Amino acid sequence: MDSALIPDGAKRCSFPVFAIGIAAVGAVLLWGVFAMFLIWFKGLNQTNMNDYYGFALWIWADLAVIAIGGGAFFTGLLKYIFGIDELKNIINFAVIIGFICYSSALLILAIDIGQPLRGWFIFWHANVHSMLTEVAFCLSCYFAVLVIEFIPNILENKQLIKIPFLRHVNHNMHGIMAVFAATGAFLSFFHQGSLGGVTGVLYGRPFGVREGLLVWPWTFFLYTFSAAAYGPTFTILVTKAVEKITGKKLVKDNVIRLLAKIAGWMILVYIVAKIIDTIYWANVTAPQLGFTLNDFYGHGFYRIWILYAEIIIGGILPALILIFKRSRENSTLLVLALILAVFGVCLNRWVMVLQVMAVPVMSFDQWAHYFPSWQEIATTILPVAYGIILISLTYRYLPVFPQEQELYPETIAAAKAEAEAKVQEEDAKKA
Amino acid sequence: MFPFSFEWVWDAAHIIFFGGLWYALSILGMGMTYVIFKSLYDVIWGKESEGH
């Protein structure tokens, strides 16, 4: 039915099977959209946010998707600026994942501000003393970069590439992609950092506050570095998931292992910096503000295990698995490391958004509890469904994985034979 | 916000924040303008795309 749009030589499931899959995920998407409209029409009273939790589940999801979407800017930096050419085989998919993550982040923000029609106020009536303004500027501009980086992928579609103008646009965009990639890396550095900087300058919240360099708290640098380190692990994890679902190998092992090795070393460097930061904060920064480590980890869900889980299970362990050749080349251990890494960075963002709000600050304060409403949960799941649908569409209709045809030469031969047979059939009809 | 807006103040914060924003937008805008004009030129003069 849609075979005219499917890349040459690529084998995909039948259209009805694809449509059923999209419909199933689309139902979840619609649930999220329903909750989104409830919030837009009825207001933020649909959430369980309160005076303690001005930042809640959405902001965690926002920070988490921005961190795991960091694979796009970092892979682009490695490919276009550092010239690691092997990564051309995964850069398309990294961009798509980045696009999904950042568009989701913007969608979540559009829901979170409660008045999306006034979203442009941040550009026109900007508070130029706020790190969040810097985040808004860089996030919007970087999303524009991702759109630009995504366009050549779309133009590679079998039908679109036949149009001369679009074919030239595609070619010329590739010619200057390094400029866009460099701009993207510059923007990412600042918005990732400023997201961390927001927690670091919360002077009224000793759990989050950090010392730093000039106007930038250490969390500024930790967030940027963690996004660059952990982002590629999510790219590889989703690639592995797509390979599992489709039952096909889509990227060669040497590419995956190279990116995994780089991510492993980056995570190791990050986690060492994180440990130093934690020790200094626990022994110097917090005591200066009248707190001990036990004050932050002594209640309900928020016990000291959460710190160990973040640093050891979500940091040291995946880093060690990824840097050693033997463990990295074991597919089970590789996937385990990727899952732990994604868990680690998401837990870090959870702690820095939600635990910051939960810890009592005044002597008469209690630990603050919060559980999201169903509307918050639905709108947080919405980007997941959207991501699955977009990945499905791009995988089906665009040549996302350049090595797919190389890995399956028999499908190319079959496609060519089929095309030749069609031509012969048409010739016979004409005769 | 532009320098001719009534809220604008000529201080370091405005110059750095908005300077950075316009700088980034200018690069993206000029890049895409170049791509579109170069593609139109290539189509009009019948230049064959060499792939990438």
Side-chain angles (χ1 to χ4, degrees):
Chain A
M1 191 176 185
D2 58 347
S3 56
L5 296 169
I6 293 173
D8 284 331
K11 201 176 173 188
R12 299 289 182 262
C13 65
S14 68
F15 185 74
V17 171
F18 177 71
I20 290 167
I22 292 290
V25 184
V28 179
L29 183 101
L30 286 177
W31 178 53
V33 170
F34 173 65
M36 182 178 79
F37 279 109
L38 270 182
I39 292 159
W40 276 347
F41 285 107
K42 293 193 173 183
L44 292 177
N45 59 5
Q46 298 292 297
T47 74
N48 281 347
M49 288 191 281
N50 51 44
D51 289 345
Y52 276 97
Y53 286 93
F55 284 174
L57 184 70
W58 287 331
I59 297 300
W60 164 73
D62 209 62
L63 266 64
V65 294
I66 287 172
I68 58 180
F73 94 84
F74 190 62
T75 313
L77 186 77
L78 294 173
K79 156 81 176 75
Y80 294 108
I81 309 301
F82 293 110
I84 302 178
D85 202 46
E86 292 98 313
L87 297 179
K88 70 182 177 195
N89 298 309
I90 201 166
I91 186 72
N92 289 349
F93 199 51
V95 165
I96 291 167
I97 292 171
F99 178 86
I100 291 167
C101 288
Y102 276 80
S103 51
S104 300
L106 289 174
L107 176 69
I108 291 170
L109 288 177
I111 303 169
D112 191 42
I113 57 176
Q115 287 272 21
L117 294 178
R118 295 182 185 172
W120 59 276
F121 276 27
I122 199 157
F123 298 100
W124 199 258
H125 307 291
N127 171 7
V128 291
H129 303 287
S130 166
M131 287 211 176
L132 284 176
T133 304
E134 189 187 337
V135 171
F137 283 12
C138 292
L139 204 64
S140 316
C141 290
Y142 183 56
F143 181 64
V145 172
L146 283 169
V147 171
I148 289 170
E149 289 180 338
F150 192 20
I151 289 171
N153 281 345
I154 298 168
L155 298 181
E156 297 266 349
N157 175 269
K158 201 165 86 176
Q159 299 303 325
L160 293 177
I161 203 80
K162 288 177 183 169
I163 302 167
F165 175 70
L166 296 183
R167 192 167 59 245
H168 282 290
V169 168
N170 183 22
H171 173 67
N172 290 325
M173 283 186 84
H174 277 285
I176 60 161
M177 198 52 82
V179 176
F180 296 129
T183 311
F186 168 80
L187 293 166
S188 290
F189 176 83
F190 282 102
H191 76 247
Q192 297 280 2
S194 291
L195 282 171
V198 169
T199 317
V201 297
L202 290 177
Y203 298 110
R205 296 280 176 182
F207 182 77
V209 74
R210 295 289 192 280
E211 291 168 46
L213 181 70
L214 303 174
V215 297
W216 299 288
W218 296 126
T219 44
F220 180 99
F221 304 101
L222 288 173
Y223 264 51
T224 300
F225 210 87
S226 60
Y230 288 93
T233 61
F234 186 66
T235 305
I236 305 172
L237 185 64
V238 179
T239 307
K240 288 282 172 196
V242 174
E243 285 183 344
K244 186 80 184 166
I245 291 163
T246 58
K248 290 167 81 174
K249 187 143 198 68
L250 300 166
V251 181
K252 284 184 180 176
D253 284 337
N254 67 318
V255 180
I256 296 284
R257 286 170 188 165
L258 174 67
L259 194 58
K261 184 181 169 185
I262 295 168
W265 281 107
M266 293 282 290
I267 293 173
L268 189 70
V269 174
Y270 161 75
I271 214 69
V272 169
K274 172 75 185 169
I275 290 167
I276 295 168
D277 169 74
T278 305
I279 291 170
Y280 187 82
W281 162 73
N283 291 294
V284 181
T285 314
Q288 279 175 352
L289 296 165
F291 286 82
T292 65
L293 194 63
N294 288 336
D295 293 330
F296 301 130
Y297 296 100
H299 185 82
F301 177 72
Y302 295 114
R303 303 273 174 187
I304 197 75
W305 69 267
I306 208 162
L307 182 63
Y308 293 127
E310 183 195 334
I311 290 177
I312 298 170
I313 299 173
I316 295 171
L317 201 56
L320 292 178
I321 293 173
L322 295 178
I323 61 174
F324 289 110
K325 189 169 185 271
R326 209 169 156 189
S327 51
R328 186 172 64 239
E329 291 183 358
N330 179 314
S331 57
T332 311
L333 282 177
L334 175 69
V335 171
L336 176 69
L338 299 172
I339 292 169
L340 290 180
V342 172
F343 162 78
V345 74
C346 290
L347 184 62
N348 171 264
R349 299 313 194 248
W350 178 278
V351 164
M352 297 305 265
V353 171
L354 287 161
Q355 193 171 348
V356 167
M357 305 290 171
V359 176
V361 177
M362 301 293 182
S363 56
F364 50 82
D365 268 348
Q366 300 288 317
W367 279 78
H369 297 281
Y370 155 82
F371 193 83
S373 67
W374 75 263
Q375 291 91 333
E376 287 173 271
I377 294 170
T379 45
T380 306
I381 293 172
L382 162 65
V384 180
Y386 152 70
I388 292 170
I389 290 173
L390 196 60
I391 287 174
S392 307
L393 289 169
T394 52
Y395 172 71
R396 188 172 179 83
Y397 298 120
L398 306 175
V400 175
F401 298 101
Q403 290 180 316
E404 186 185 355
Q405 297 197 349
E406 202 181 319
L407 285 161
Y408 296 93
E410 67 278 4
T411 56
I412 305 173
K416 275 185 182 169
E418 198 179 321
E420 278 171 18
K422 266 187 187 174
V423 172
Q424 282 174 0
E425 198 179 319
E426 280 170 16
D427 288 347
K429 273 182 190 172
K430 280 177 192 171
Chain B
M1 195 193 300
F2 296 105
F4 49 79
S5 308
F6 76 94
E7 291 169 89
W8 180 268
V9 179
W10 281 103
D11 61 6
H14 278 80
I15 293 168
I16 291 169
F17 265 72
F18 282 97
L21 176 67
W22 296 328
Y23 177 64
L25 289 175
S26 302
I27 291 173
L28 302 183
M30 285 190 295
M32 285 310 292
T33 307
Y34 164 79
V35 165
I36 288 167
F37 278 97
K38 175 86 169 43
S39 305
L40 282 171
Y41 176 87
D42 291 344
V43 171
I44 291 164
W45 291 98
K47 192 182 167 193
E48 272 304 304
S49 174
E50 294 154 8
H52 52 84

